[in-house]
Amino acid sequence: MEVKSQLLDLKPYQPGKPIDEVKREYGLNHIVKLASNENPYGYSPKAKEAIERELSQLALYPDGYSTELREKLSALLRVDKNQLIFGNGSDEIVQIICRSLLDHQSNTVMATPTFPQYRHNAVIENAEIREVPLKGGEHDLDAMLAAIDEYTKVVWVCSPNNPTGNYVDQSRLESFLEKVPASVLVVLDEAYYEYVTAEDFPNSLPLLNTYENVMILRTFSKAYGLAALRIGYGIGCKSLVQKIEPAREPFNTSRIAQAAALAALDDQEFIESCRIRNKAGLQQYYAFCEEMKLAYYPSEGNFILIDFSRDANSLFQQLLERGYIVRSGAALGFPTSLRITVGSEEQNREIIDLLKTML
């Protein structure tokens, strides 16, 4: 049976190694996973209570419109409830956008390296992919503007960028949006928004009032700690959301995911605590890099990309055999670097001490 030709050379997304697999493979008991940018502090107790309450309702389909979550989130963000679209993680919103706007006659512009699912889904839709290399770890917005033509449908801006952690500040973003044609959708992927502490990080929501060709993506998988439940959302102008809604699968977010996300929004103290501890964790890595004279990118996410000036896959394997799961930069476009999730203070100290001995 034949499939689309563009799928033949396309590899499925490769997540970080599961903890149980590493335990079995290397006969280890103590595993620290710092590979997938998960929240080391878990999730709000309020979300746990909501999940437990929802377990008696599993025979019922979820609300396909996510009504309660939609109303609470719209009030919190101060946007119209019809400006929201929910997905099975913000990954699905990426898929919905590509399915809705891209085809073999169009192109899409993105940085490289960046979150790989933009490229992945564009390939499936057989669109031309125009990748613009990062400049000092940051989006080269001028070069991205130059790559836009009359066939461009979507431009992706991941901020903070995965895997570098760099961000596009307010003035650069506004200058960029002023020059992008109104016919081109600009997707601002803010998956790590809740971790940001930079004062000049864009206040992107008001931009929706000026630019109807902007969509913002956020998720409950990172700081909210609900990665297993797969729920994220997009925020855009009402007419755009209405047009792409038919590409969304019915009942695409579960009852448990909706209930947990709804409760998690009520615990902003938990989010603030995670933000503070994440910043302290980044400082641990910065101090390590300065001491060992290693190059790194300052990060606004819950991860850090460190250049060890040696084969990333080899270093990744050495850590793995000792029970520490990180992400090799070789698969991310940085063959001598590792991307390490910021863990708890103890987890960070453990892997930093280990790396010191290995180096």
Side-chain angles (χ1 to χ4, degrees), residues 141 157 159 167-178 188 190 193 196 198-208 210-211 216 218:
L141 297 181
V157 178
S159 182
Y167 68 101
V168 178
D169 64 35
Q170 184 84 34
S171 61
R172 290 178 62 221
L173 179 59
E174 290 186 8
S175 177
F176 177 70
L177 292 176
E178 287 175 7
L188 305 178
E190 297 182 347
Y193 171 78
V196 171
E199 292 183 359
D200 59 348
F201 188 84
N203 182 11
S204 53
L205 289 173
L207 296 174
L208 298 174
T210 305
Y211 303 99
I216 301 164
R218 293 184 184 171

Side-chain angles (χ1 to χ4, degrees), residues 9 39 219 235 255 268 322 357:
D9 296 320
N39 190 337
T219 183
I235 320 157
R255 293 187 66 96
Q268 291 303 310
R322 291 162 174 81
T357 63

Side-chain angles (χ1 to χ4, degrees), residues 30-47:
H30 178 64
I31 305 294
V32 176
K33 185 186 178 190
L34 300 173
S36 301
N37 303 340
E38 295 151 330
N39 190 337
Y41 306 107
Y43 51 92
S44 167
K46 293 184 178 182

Side-chain angles (χ1 to χ4, degrees), residues 73 77 84-87 93 216-220 232-235:
L73 197 55
L77 300 177
L84 296 167
I85 181 170
F86 292 90
I93 310 298
I216 301 164
L217 306 186
R218 293 184 184 171
T219 183
F220 288 95
Y233 57 98
I235 320 157

